[in-house]
Amino acid sequence: MNVLFVTSECYPLVKTGGLADVTGALPLALAALAVDARVLLPAYPGVREQLASSKNGATIADLFGGEATLVDGTTATGLKVTLIDAPHLYDRTGGGIYAGPNGHDWPDNHLRFAALSWVAAEIAGGRLGKWRPDVVHVHDWHAALTAAYIQFDTHKKRLRATRAATLLTIHNLAFQGLFPESTLAELRLPDEALEQGGIAYWGKLSFLKAGVRWCDAVSTVSPTYAREIVTPEHGMGFDSALKDRAEPIVGIANGIDLAVWNPATDSNIVATYSKPTSAAKAPNKVALQAELGLEPDANAPLFCVVSRLTEQKGLDLLLAALPHLLARGAQLAVLGTGDRKLEKGFRRAAKKHPGRVAAVIDYNEAMSHRMQAGADAIIVPSRFEPCGLTQLYGLRYGTLPVVAKVGGLADTVDDGLTGFQFEPVDQDQLTAAIDTACDAFATPVVWQRMMRAAMKQDVGWGSAAREYRALYERLLQARR
Ligand code: ADP
Ligand code: GLC
């Protein structure tokens, strides 16, 4: 079975968050189940250079205002990729993959990601020659317009009737790909696309809605989030559209790449370990404290955060709970970037409590491993969390997760057994959970027992990959 992953990011080539981790690891796990998966993504600057091998393939004369070349390649880890080399859309200096140096989204993002979907539809129609997808698996809003191009047969290939099944995975409903309705023609979609039940969304159009409306199935990245997003409280305006679908939204919790996140072999950390004990982790804690200018205090529970600093992640609650955390003799290390206000808040806290709080306002992949290896616990106080991966890395590294009981955090952490959960998501409950964690840390038999349970969890992709394969098979059956 051939599956085309369509995504805006993919580890290790380009990453801003968990989406990349998933699209970089799941195809490899599927390959082990005899699924031939290929990842389609834009050739942002520096991406092609990271491939172990690559060659130019088909060209598209006019991909939304310029020529594009499809580049087929393989990463060092064996991931098969097709890059869209379209300099007019993706070759930008400064800024990141979604926003320019001023922090504002690139003004042509609707075209940049329509192009991704457009090429996905081309590939569904046979653009890669012999390799043709049985399933087109689109991820988040950046890729969701694929379903509209297939629905309206913009490539004149009767794709809907004759070709691949389509699956949308929603990694985060907060990102909906909203643009003015007036962009419809530029997107090469007919007016019908906006009519009743189409991609119209409160006076705008939404890329994500195309996937929700016209993909054969919709999934999300944990069972709890699948239940949450069909409620008005968590549906972010999409609950009705999601509920209107004939089949319920499928929830499959993410796994992690056990080769990339393995404390026994991790080359980013000072001392590798496999024993589930604080003693085994100790050299990493010493090193992390030294690196971050924290007091070399083995008895202080060291909490860490590795996160985008946004409203979603609830880190304002942690800032509010900080005095209590410090009063318990604990330390805090934060690695993250995002909202200026939160960045400032953590910087200020570090300044105010030297040796007890450290804030690294940066995106640093290697340091994220050192945080996981060196800290005793990781705090994830999200207001909502489709799945969350850092708590899974925490489990694997014996770094007990302190998490809000929402979405995938509720599904992957066992309160009192592998970590600590709290609800509702507010400052008081977070403070109480930090308290419980400090108590447990002060009782080594309890802590070691929890570390053992955490590190024993099966957090790999195996079972989720089997669920995805079964879902693909169901979709193909339904097509026949
Ligand atoms: P989200 O995708 O919502 O940001 P996840 O927990 O699913 O949340 O995934 C976040 C990913 O990004 C993890 O791999 C995490 O380690 C990584 N990450 C987040 N912030 C940073 C940072 N500042 N430096 C390095 N890695 C980070
Ligand atoms: C999103 C979500 C996160 C999830 C990740 C990968 O960015 O915010 O919860 O783990 O996607 O699915």
Side-chain angles (χ1 to χ4, degrees):
M1 183 196 303
N2 294 347
V3 179
L4 182 70
F5 273 56
V6 188
T7 178
S8 64
E9 39 185 287
C10 179
Y11 179 87
L13 301 172
V14 52
K15 166 171 168 181
T16 73
L19 171 63
D21 289 345
V22 172
T23 57
L26 176 55
L28 294 173
L30 285 166
L33 302 176
V35 173
D36 188 358
R38 168 171 288 280
V39 182
L40 175 70
L41 82 162
Y44 307 109
V47 166
R48 182 173 187 170
E49 291 70 15
Q50 295 175 62
L51 296 179
S53 65
S54 70
K55 64 174 194 318
N56 286 357
T59 57
I60 297 171
D62 174 20
L63 186 65
F64 296 93
E67 194 187 58
T69 306
L70 301 189
V71 176
D72 286 329
T74 313
T75 65
T77 49
L79 198 66
K80 290 191 205 168
V81 299
T82 297
L83 305 179
I84 306 169
D85 186 7
H88 62 294
L89 298 171
Y90 306 124
D91 197 357
R92 306 271 155 101
T93 43
I97 61 175
Y98 303 123
N102 57 7
H104 296 303
D105 285 354
W106 295 109
D108 57 347
N109 269 356
H110 59 301
L111 299 180
R112 297 174 72 234
F113 295 109
L116 174 62
S117 290
W118 186 268
V119 174
E122 291 259 344
I123 292 176
R127 233 343 147 101
L128 293 186
K130 269 209 324 262
W131 194 92
R132 224 168 158 140
D134 300 300
V135 178
V136 179
H137 186 168
V138 305
H139 296 266
D140 274 355
W141 74 264
H142 322 96
L145 217 53
T146 306
Y149 294 135
I150 292 178
Q151 175 72 16
F152 293 101
D153 199 21
T154 43
H155 294 62
K156 304 276 177 271
K157 288 186 190 291
R158 298 185 53 244
L159 292 177
R160 190 159 176 71
T162 55
R163 295 286 171 239
T166 48
L167 169 64
L168 165 70
T169 294
I170 298 176
H171 294 262
N172 195 333
L173 197 52
F175 302 106
Q176 305 175 341
L178 300 179
F179 299 97
E181 285 187 354
S182 56
T183 57
L184 190 75
E186 266 186 288
L187 300 175
R188 304 181 179 172
L189 283 171
D191 290 347
E192 283 168 84
L194 263 184
E195 281 158 19
Q196 245 240 286
I199 60 177
Y201 182 85
W202 308 106
K204 298 196 167 177
L205 62 76
S206 157
F207 278 36
L208 188 67
K209 197 142 171 244
V212 171
R213 285 284 296 124
W214 297 308
C215 275
D216 295 325
V218 176
S219 76
T220 189
V221 288
S222 69
T224 296
Y225 194 61
R227 286 190 297 272
E228 287 171 347
I229 57 180
V230 292
T231 66
E233 193 191 346
H234 301 287
M236 300 190 160
F238 264 75
D239 41 297
S240 313
L242 289 167
K243 261 208 310 246
D244 283 351
R245 292 188 50 92
E247 301 284 329
I249 309 304
V250 181
I252 303 175
N254 289 332
I256 66 171
D257 189 324
L258 297 177
V260 177
W261 294 94
N262 183 354
T265 57
D266 193 332
S267 58
N268 298 293
I269 68 180
V270 170
T272 54
Y273 59 98
S274 48
K275 278 207 189 111
T277 62
S278 298
K281 276 170 72 91
N284 293 299
K285 181 167 176 178
V286 169
L288 185 64
Q289 285 172 325
E291 177 178 4
L292 300 178
L294 293 167
E295 287 162 15
D297 183 349
N299 295 322
L302 172 52
F303 292 89
C304 77
V305 167
V306 179
S307 184
R308 293 185 288 119
L309 305 179
T310 65
E311 164 82 12
Q312 171 189 345
K313 301 293 180 178
L315 293 163
D316 50 315
L317 304 174
L318 178 58
L319 276 173
L322 188 59
H324 191 82
L325 181 151
L326 295 172
R328 291 290 318 244
Q331 297 180 342
L332 176 67
V334 176
L335 171 63
T337 56
D339 294 353
R340 296 291 168 262
K341 211 171 135 201
L342 286 167
E343 290 185 348
K344 222 164 147 187
F346 283 109
R347 270 207 190 98
R348 199 177 286 149
K351 215 166 175 185
K352 191 162 163 205
H353 306 285
R356 308 303 294 180
V357 178
V360 181
I361 305 302
D362 187 16
Y363 189 95
N364 185 328
E365 196 71 31
M367 185 179 279
S368 73
H369 287 245
R370 297 199 291 277
M371 290 266 183
Q372 294 279 7
D376 298 298
I378 179 157
I379 303 183
V380 193
S382 308
R383 294 194 163 84
F384 68 93
E385 195 61 76
C387 181
L389 295 173
T390 61
Q391 83 281 9
L392 298 178
Y393 301 142
L395 291 172
R396 176 93 160 131
Y397 280 65
T399 307
L400 300 185
V402 180
V403 303
K405 193 175 179 185
V406 296
L409 300 173
D411 294 338
T412 56
V413 176
D414 250 316
D415 188 34
L417 188 66
T418 60
F420 309 88
Q421 291 187 329
F422 62 93
E423 66 171 340
V425 189
D426 63 24
Q427 179 191 337
D428 288 347
Q429 295 313 311
L430 170 59
T431 304
I434 289 171
D435 250 343
T436 312
C438 287
D439 290 343
F441 186 77
T443 319
V445 284
V446 172
W447 196 263
Q448 304 305 314
R449 191 177 60 226
M450 291 184 74
M451 280 185 72
R452 259 199 313 279
M455 290 177 75
K456 265 216 310 254
Q457 292 297 299
D458 178 11
V459 288
W461 269 107
S463 73
R466 282 191 294 278
E467 283 186 66
Y468 276 108
R469 190 181 63 175
L471 177 54
Y472 299 150
E473 276 164 359
R474 272 206 311 280
L475 295 178
L476 289 177
Q477 287 280 321
R479 280 263 141 145
R480 281 181 200 128

